[in-house]
Amino acid sequence: MKRSSIWWAACIVALATSGIGQGGCVNNNDSSSDSDSDSDSDSDSDSDSDSDSDTDTDPVPVEGAVDLLLAVDNSMSMGEEQQILMEDILGLIAVVDDLRVAVVSSDMGLQWGGNPYESGDGWPGTNPCTAAGDDGQFQPSGLWYENSSDTIDSLESLGTNGCGWEQQLQSFAAGIERTDQQSFIRNGALLAVIVVSDEQDCSLESNAMFATDEVQNLGNPHKLNIACGENPQFLYNADSYRTRLVDAKDGDADSVFLLAIVGVPQVDECQGLGDDIDNCLDHDDMQLEQVLEGDPANYNYSPACTREEGEMMITTARPGRRFVELANSFGDHGYVYSICNDDWSPAIANLAIMLAAAL
């Protein structure tokens, strides 16, 4: 089904034989020979990932040091998406000259404000998760890697049994701030974060969230799925995570990059560089519209995008508004791509271009 690994391999050979100045490679992975994505007439249910956001993504070698942190949602709906990442990340590993990779999960338990959850913090009944989850520990066992096989093994170890209260942004910040992992970041290396999730971010700053009606009233139907969207005042500010990444690089903002593969519609307004998607949050599909879903039915937000294969729903992604806000704050060092695409190599190719330009 996916041709990204073949495309990357061909790209690397072409670059080695013809040089970057010869035009590089473009991912023309649809049936059309026209490189202009506007002419693409694919009408399959998973939507073509060849949008205008990737028309000038010529993958290039990255000749320098890069510290790459993969922040991956490991909740129960992410099995297929983790598989895509395991395939497409190989392209980046292949073209970076000096790469170090670490993986963190979105499971931070019900911790808030950096504090492990304790009895009496306000959750009604028994804590459905753990006190602090993986707490930003590199997976597995606090290790990082410098080759593709170990990276894939690390991603495979994540599984999909993580806490359903996903704290994706907090997980990568905690990962680089842990005293036992700070040596991951090297002087002189670029720092890149790829965050992958089909849900909104719920990085908790205050346990006052647990006192809200959406958390306390767990009847049928319940509103737990919309608690964070309805009460953002109890979450960390999304753009504060850029500050934390920059602080980890001693204030060198030019050396920090973000790629968010998240719940956004597959349209130009929501896929691309952070300073090119200013209007994404105004898109109809990015609004927090409450709907009743499931059996038994509970409240959730209408999806920002979906992907189907035949009659089977593969991906249902909620509006990742906080990821877009963060990417906006990164400007041309941030990039957003829809998790509902079945091929992420164009987004990863764009990240390679951004990194190469900075070295």
Side-chain angles (χ1 to χ4, degrees):
M1 179 180 66
K2 302 184 181 71
R3 297 177 289 274
S4 57
S5 296
I6 297 172
W7 170 65
W8 271 102
C11 179
I12 294 167
V13 171
L15 288 172
T17 57
S18 64
I20 299 172
Q22 300 299 314
C25 309
V26 176
N27 181 18
N28 293 321
N29 66 353
D30 59 20
S31 59
S32 171
S33 61
D34 188 346
S35 62
D36 182 356
S37 61
D38 285 340
S39 66
D40 197 324
S41 61
D42 280 2
S43 59
D44 55 9
S45 59
D46 63 6
S47 297
D48 193 350
S49 60
D50 289 342
S51 68
D52 283 341
S53 61
D54 66 27
T55 52
D56 54 359
T57 55
D58 296 348
V60 296
V62 181
E63 299 176 349
V66 177
D67 298 329
L68 175 66
L69 183 56
L70 304 177
V72 184
D73 188 337
N74 68 329
S75 60
M76 64 183 299
S77 61
M78 284 291 295
E80 176 75 12
E81 290 71 27
Q82 289 181 16
Q83 191 63 43
I84 297 174
L85 178 62
M86 281 187 272
E87 179 175 344
D88 289 347
I89 197 63
L90 295 175
L92 186 62
I93 294 173
V95 298
V96 178
D97 180 57
D98 180 6
L99 182 66
R100 174 178 285 186
V101 186
V103 178
V104 296
S105 80
S106 60
D107 188 348
M108 301 290 286
L110 288 184
Q111 66 170 274
W112 54 274
N115 306 298
Y117 182 87
E118 296 181 356
S119 177
D121 281 348
W123 188 270
T126 303
N127 177 0
C129 298
T130 60
D134 293 326
D135 197 24
Q137 183 184 55
F138 296 159
Q139 298 297 304
S141 306
L143 302 175
W144 56 80
Y145 307 99
E146 297 179 354
N147 61 70
S148 58
S149 61
D150 287 338
T151 299
I152 299 307
D153 288 345
S154 175
L155 288 168
E156 287 180 339
S157 75
L158 287 176
T160 55
N161 294 317
C163 179
W165 189 286
E166 296 97 328
Q167 303 195 51
Q168 302 92 323
L169 300 183
Q170 185 65 9
S171 71
F172 70 66
I176 62 173
E177 291 169 355
R178 287 177 60 118
T179 56
D180 60 346
Q181 295 178 169
Q182 288 183 356
S183 58
F184 168 72
I185 297 177
R186 297 171 289 176
N187 292 331
L190 302 180
L191 173 61
V193 175
I194 300 179
V195 58
V196 178
S197 181
D198 61 356
E199 287 287 351
Q200 58 185 325
D201 171 70
C202 287
S203 294
L204 277 173
E205 183 174 23
S206 171
N207 69 326
M209 176 70 77
F210 302 143
T212 63
D213 289 342
E214 287 79 10
V215 174
Q216 288 294 316
N217 298 328
L218 298 181
N220 187 13
H222 68 69
K223 294 188 175 183
L224 187 59
N225 293 323
I226 64 173
C228 296
E230 298 303 298
N231 302 281
Q233 68 273 25
F234 302 130
L235 306 178
Y236 289 100
N237 289 330
D239 58 7
S240 70
Y241 289 99
R242 178 178 181 273
T243 300
R244 293 169 72 171
L245 290 175
V246 171
D247 286 348
K249 292 298 294 180
D250 296 323
D252 183 7
D254 291 336
S255 68
V256 180
F257 297 82
L258 173 76
L259 167 59
I261 302 176
V262 294
V264 296
Q266 296 155 286
V267 295
D268 293 340
E269 296 97 311
C270 290
Q271 295 189 114
L273 293 171
D275 53 6
D276 290 337
I277 57 170
D278 289 340
N279 296 323
C280 179
L281 296 180
D282 296 328
H283 192 280
D284 287 346
D285 292 336
M286 290 298 291
Q287 306 314 303
L288 300 182
E289 179 183 349
Q290 297 182 24
V291 293
L292 278 169
E293 289 184 348
D295 184 17
N298 292 301
Y299 284 95
N300 211 322
Y301 289 125
S302 181
C305 63
T306 60
R307 179 167 73 89
E308 300 175 6
E309 291 184 0
E311 297 181 355
M312 179 178 295
M313 183 65 69
I314 302 297
T315 301
T316 301
R318 311 299 167 176
R321 294 181 61 88
R322 286 168 53 79
F323 301 111
V324 174
E325 291 174 15
L326 179 57
N328 288 156
S329 73
F330 271 85
D332 61 3
H333 280 213
Y335 199 92
V336 174
Y337 198 65
S338 177
I339 196 172
C340 292
N341 293 305
D342 67 352
D343 178 4
W344 301 347
S345 54
I348 293 174
N350 269 291
L351 177 61
I353 291 171
M354 293 156 61
L355 296 172
L359 288 168

